[in-house]
Amino acid sequence: MMRMASFTVALMVIAATITIRVDGHEFSHHQEVKILRHLKRLNKPAVKSIKSEDGDVIDCVPITNQPAFDHPLLKHHTMQMRPSFIPESDSTYINEETKTINQVWHKAGECPDNTVPIRRTKKEDLLRPKSMKRFGRKPHHSIPRTTTFDPTKGHQYAIMGARNGKFYGTEVVINLWKPYVQVPDEFSLAQTWIVSGSGSSLNTIEAGWQVYPELYDDNRPRFFVYWTRDGYRRTGCYNLLCSGFVQTSNRYSVGGAYNIVSRYGGTQYDISILIWKDRKTGNWWLRVGKDIIGYWPGKLFTSLGNGATRVEWGGEIVNLKTGGKHTGTDMGSGHFADEGYKKASYVRNLKIVDGTNTLREPKSLYYFADKHNCYNVKTGNAGTSWGIHFFYGGPGRNVKCP
């Protein structure tokens, strides 16, 4: 009997320590179960799946079954299918039109009405970050700039911003590039931030494009959204990788890759982003180009319910100082702002939404570039059709940025 008991205990120990190997990662059966549960939460049953040439699988998920509605604050949420209004501009000049840019997966098909295209998450995606809990979230060494910016945090910016007012949205046109990123857990992005509060009460709404190999397993520029209500501590995530953002479009995939980018000295491409608060519902809507993508429900936020106190536009990179040296990760085109159009990256036609729901050019603007020998920012003079605009970017490590 004693031998049998010892044998049983030995089997239990062996079973508890069985490991499974996936792409060089070893993890226990318990971890495998956690991974499968996480994948089930993220990958909702689809009515159709599209295999894209870039390796993505796009699942067409019924619009009422998307991840947003798993959020406890949205259990009884009444979905808003369209905004009650779209802000109009008071500008007398005509904006230069943006060229149509499609996402790569569009070549392989389209999602039916009443579904939303969601990029499928794979097991390997969950294994790339240092912690599965941080998957889809901004790493602690990369959080948006505050007035007490600490350059040791590992993030660097070249931006323009507006503050000392109440803002209910923004419209901006952002130049699209494919910057070099030195190591997978660094990233390079261009975006707009809508911000209120500070510290653990920081609320943000964010949208733009980014190259982030650790998150997407490639070096393609991809459209992204982000949000937080507690200074990035426990809430918020990229795209639809947690519950929150409600998608209404069946044409655009948040996290989807773009099929074309600007070339140095050649054709320039950009994306137009409009974010605004629907004053009737409290929801914050997102439009890209002419496509209304969806909204961040007002219930997700605290201080943003009263409007934003700061809006920023521009570039950000993460510098992990691999080998003790500044990263060689590009920001924007990888060229300094001084080089100007077709060489440096630009952000143009900056506008804010004011208290009358009107798009206006912002006043009292400020600039910020914390490491100007690595990345910088400079106002442009390309003409009235570009409105308020600036150039930004840089190559990272160089003679003056060791």
Side-chain angles (χ1 to χ4, degrees), residues 92-109:
T92 55
Y93 64 81
I94 299 174
N95 287 10
E96 180 180 318
E97 287 290 321
T98 59
K99 300 177 180 68
T100 300
I101 307 174
N102 293 317
Q103 293 184 308
V104 178
W105 69 273
H106 288 163
K107 297 179 184 178

Side-chain angles (χ1 to χ4, degrees), residues 3 10 40 47 54 61 64 102 108 133 136 139 145 149 162 185 219-220 226 250 258 323 329 336 349 368:
R3 288 182 178 178
K40 187 176 181 180
V47 299
D54 61 359
V61 174
T64 55
N102 293 317
K133 289 182 179 179
R145 194 184 66 82
F149 174 74
D185 46 350
N219 294 286
R220 293 175 178 268
Y226 203 97
N250 67 334
Y258 287 110
T329 288
F336 286 112
N349 298 112
F368 179 82

Side-chain angles (χ1 to χ4, degrees), residues 77-95:
H77 178 74
T78 299
M79 189 172 184
Q80 188 180 0
M81 292 304 297
R82 59 186 61 85
S84 61
F85 72 93
I86 298 175
E88 296 185 358
S89 175
D90 71 342
S91 297
T92 55
Y93 64 81
I94 299 174
N95 287 10

Side-chain angles (χ1 to χ4, degrees), residues 257-291:
Y258 287 110
N259 66 347
I260 196 166
V261 298
S262 302
R263 291 188 176 275
Y264 184 81
T267 305
Q268 300 299 292
Y269 295 92
D270 45 36
I271 56 174
S272 172
I273 296 173
L274 171 62
I275 301 171
W276 76 100
K277 184 179 181 181
D278 189 325
R279 305 291 281 277
K280 290 185 178 180
T281 63
N283 300 327
W284 291 80
W285 279 89
L286 170 67
R287 188 179 75 182
V288 179
K290 296 180 181 179
D291 291 317

Side-chain angles (χ1 to χ4, degrees), residues 118-385:
I118 300 178
R119 181 177 183 266
R120 185 183 299 177
T121 300
K122 298 175 291 188
K123 182 185 294 184
E124 294 76 15
D125 297 330
L126 299 180
L127 296 176
R128 280 193 299 275
K130 292 181 176 64
S131 165
M132 191 170 70
K133 289 182 179 179
R134 298 303 304 172
F135 174 70
R137 296 187 176 183
K138 290 200 176 186
H140 289 305
H141 59 252
S142 175
I143 58 174
R145 194 184 66 82
T146 67
T147 53
T148 56
F149 174 74
D150 180 0
T152 66
K153 291 291 185 182
H155 56 161
Q156 293 173 9
Y157 297 84
I159 62 158
M160 176 183 269
R163 58 190 172 204
N164 300 327
K166 279 290 185 182
F167 310 105
Y168 298 93
T170 182
E171 185 176 44
V172 65
V173 178
I174 301 176
N175 199 194
L176 179 61
W177 292 84
K178 184 182 178 181
Y180 164 75
V181 175
Q182 181 173 314
V183 294
D185 46 350
E186 292 181 341
F187 64 62
S188 182
L189 61 75
Q191 68 167 83
T192 181
W193 294 260
I194 295 176
V195 185
S196 68
S198 61
S200 61
S201 299
L202 182 75
N203 286 205
T204 75
I205 287 173
E206 307 172 34
W209 62 260
Q210 66 180 167
V211 175
Y212 193 178
E214 182 181 84
L215 184 60
Y216 302 108
D217 197 28
D218 65 18
N219 294 286
R220 293 175 178 268
R222 293 171 175 271
F223 181 75
F224 78 92
V225 299
Y226 203 97
W227 67 276
T228 184
R229 61 180 279 169
D230 63 354
Y232 302 87
R233 285 160 174 79
R234 290 182 170 273
T235 64
C237 63
Y238 282 112
N239 308 330
L240 305 183
L241 296 176
C242 69
S243 52
F245 183 79
V246 177
Q247 185 157 341
T248 58
S249 170
N250 67 334
R251 281 186 34 80
Y252 228 84
S253 173
V254 288
Y258 287 110
N259 66 347
I260 196 166
V261 298
S262 302
R263 291 188 176 275
Y264 184 81
T267 305
Q268 300 299 292
Y269 295 92
D270 45 36
I271 56 174
S272 172
I273 296 173
L274 171 62
I275 301 171
W276 76 100
K277 184 179 181 181
D278 189 325
R279 305 291 281 277
K280 290 185 178 180
T281 63
N283 300 327
W284 291 80
W285 279 89
L286 170 67
R287 188 179 75 182
V288 179
K290 296 180 181 179
D291 291 317
I292 293 177
I293 310 302
Y295 61 90
W296 293 268
K299 290 181 180 179
L300 295 177
F301 304 104
T302 52
S303 56
L304 266 177
N306 298 318
T309 55
R310 190 169 86 241
V311 181
E312 293 180 338
W313 311 267
E316 175 190 0
I317 63 95
V318 170
N319 172 27
L320 296 182
K321 295 185 178 179
T322 304
K325 298 179 180 180
H326 192 285
T327 182
T329 288
D330 291 340
M331 182 188 289
S333 68
H335 292 261
F336 286 112
D338 314 70
E339 293 194 40
Y341 183 54
K342 291 192 176 184
K343 297 178 180 179
S345 188
Y346 60 79
V347 179
R348 64 179 174 90
N349 298 112
L350 274 62
K351 297 190 182 78
I352 54 92
V353 180
D354 70 7
T356 67
N357 301 324
T358 302
L359 281 163
R360 302 184 190 277
E361 292 192 336
K363 302 185 185 304
S364 303
L365 292 167
Y366 59 91
Y367 300 89
F368 179 82
D370 53 307
K371 295 284 185 181
H372 62 87
N373 287 328
C374 308
Y375 314 99
N376 67 355
V377 58
K378 182 180 180 181
T379 55
N381 54 1
T384 57
S385 67

